[in-house]
C-alpha cells in the first residue's frame, strides 16, 4: 500500500536523440513525458529540460506531493564529483559545464547525475533482468553504444569513473576502428531509420545490421573473456 506521505521523485533519461522523464512515487510511475534532445547550445538544452519536467512538477503539485529530488541519466563520463560531464560524444554541449549546479538553480531542487547506462543497469539489477545475478554487464545500443559493469553490489566505476565503455574498444585493428565509430558509419548516424528499413526487408539495411552484429559480437566476446559476467543485458 502506498503511504499517503510518500514523497515523489523525478527521473530523466537524457539520450542523444530524445529525453524521457518520469514522475515516480517509490513503487510505480505516476506520469511521464518525452521531448527531443536539443544539441545547438547549453542554454537551449536547459530550456528544454525545464519544459520536459514542468508538467511532472505540476502533476505532483496537483496531488499535493513534494518532489524530494530529481535524477538525470546522461550520456557522458562524469568528473569525480559527479556534477560535470568530461566526455559526451553524442551531446557535446554539456561538456565542462557545472551541469548539476545549473539544473539545481533551474529546477530549485536537489539534482543527482550519473551516466545513463549506469542508471539503466542499476534498474535492471534491482527490478529487471539482472535481479537474480551478482555479476552483470549492461549494454545499450541507441544513438551511441554505452556499457556498464555491475560487480559486488554496485556499478564498477574505475579509477576515473570511465569504466565499462565498449564504444572505445578497437574492433578492426587493420584500420584502427573503434566500435562506436564503426556503428555510426554502418548506420549512417541514423540507427532508427536503418532499423525501419531493415524491418521492411531492405537488403542493404539488413546487410548493415549483419555487420553491426558481427562487431558487437566481437566486443561482447572480449567483455566476456575479460570480466566473466553471469549475464549480458
Amino acid at each position: 500500500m502506498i503511504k499517503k506521505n510518500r514523497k515523489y521523485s523525478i527521473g530523466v533519461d537524457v539520450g542523444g536523440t530524445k529525453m524521457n522523464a518520469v514522475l515516480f512515487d517509490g513503487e510505480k510511475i505516476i506520469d511521464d513525458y518525452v521531448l527531443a534532445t536539443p544539441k545547438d547550445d547549453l542554454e537551449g538544452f536547459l530550456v528544454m529540460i525545464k519544459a520536459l519536467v514542468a508538467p511532472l512538477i505540476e502533476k505532483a503539485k496537483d496531488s499535493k506531493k513534494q518532489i524530494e529530488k530529481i535524477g538525470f541519466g546522461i550520456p557522458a563520463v562524469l568528473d569525480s564529483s559527479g556534477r560535470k560531464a568530461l566526455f559526451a560524444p553524442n551531446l557535446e554541449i554539456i561538456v565542462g559545464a557545472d551541469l548539476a549546479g545549473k539544473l539545481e538553480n533551474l529546477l530549485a531542487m536537489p539534482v543527482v547525475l550519473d551516466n545513463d547506462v549506469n542508471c539503466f543497469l542499476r534498474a535492471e539489477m534491482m527490478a529487471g533482468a539482472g535481479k537474480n545475478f551478482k555479476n552483470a554487464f549492461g549494454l545499450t545500443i541507441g544513438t551511441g553504444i554505452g556499457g556498464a559493469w555491475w560487480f559486488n553490489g554496485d556499478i564498477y566505476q574505475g579509477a576515473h569513473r570511465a569504466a565499462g565503455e565498449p564504444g572505445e574498444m578497437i574492433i578492426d585493428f587493420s584500420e584502427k576502428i573503434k566500435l562506436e565509430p564503426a556503428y555510426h558509419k554502418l548506420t549512417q548516424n541514423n540507427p532508427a531509420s536503418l532499423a525501419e528499413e531493415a524491418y521492411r526487408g531492405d537488403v542493404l539495411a539488413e546487410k548493415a545490421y549483419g555487420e553491426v552484429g558481427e562487431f558487437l559480437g566481437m566486443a561482447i566476446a572480449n567483455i566476456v573473456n575479460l570480466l566473466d559476467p553471469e549475464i549480458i543485458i
Side-chain angles (χ1 to χ4, degrees), residues 72-190:
F72 286 82
I74 61 173
V77 173
L78 301 176
D79 70 351
S80 59
S81 71
R83 297 180 66 83
K84 293 182 180 180
L86 298 178
F87 179 66
N90 294 309
L91 194 60
E92 294 182 353
I93 56 172
I94 66 173
V95 173
D98 178 14
L99 187 58
K102 288 180 178 294
L103 289 168
E104 286 175 342
N105 291 335
L106 180 73
L107 303 171
M109 69 179 74
V111 166
V112 178
L113 302 182
D114 200 356
N115 173 269
D116 54 351
V117 190
N118 290 352
C119 295
F120 153 74
L121 186 55
R122 280 199 183 94
E124 291 292 339
M125 298 309 292
M126 293 175 183
K131 61 184 179 180
N132 295 321
F133 301 93
K134 296 180 180 179
N135 182 348
F137 195 87
L139 192 68
T140 61
I141 306 165
T143 303
I145 295 177
W149 182 31
W150 179 275
F151 182 68
N152 278 346
D154 203 353
I155 300 292
Y156 178 76
Q157 301 277 10
H160 305 95
R161 296 180 64 97
E165 291 293 343
E168 294 298 298
M169 190 179 298
I170 295 175
I171 43 81
D172 186 338
F173 283 93
S174 63
E175 299 294 332
K176 296 183 175 62
I177 297 174
K178 297 179 181 179
L179 177 60
E180 185 156 322
Y183 171 72
H184 287 316
K185 183 177 180 180
L186 287 168
T187 61
Q188 298 179 12
N189 291 303
N190 195 341

Side-chain angles (χ1 to χ4, degrees), residues 13 22 40 80 129 162 220:
D13 174 28
V22 298
D40 294 336
S80 59
I220 291 171

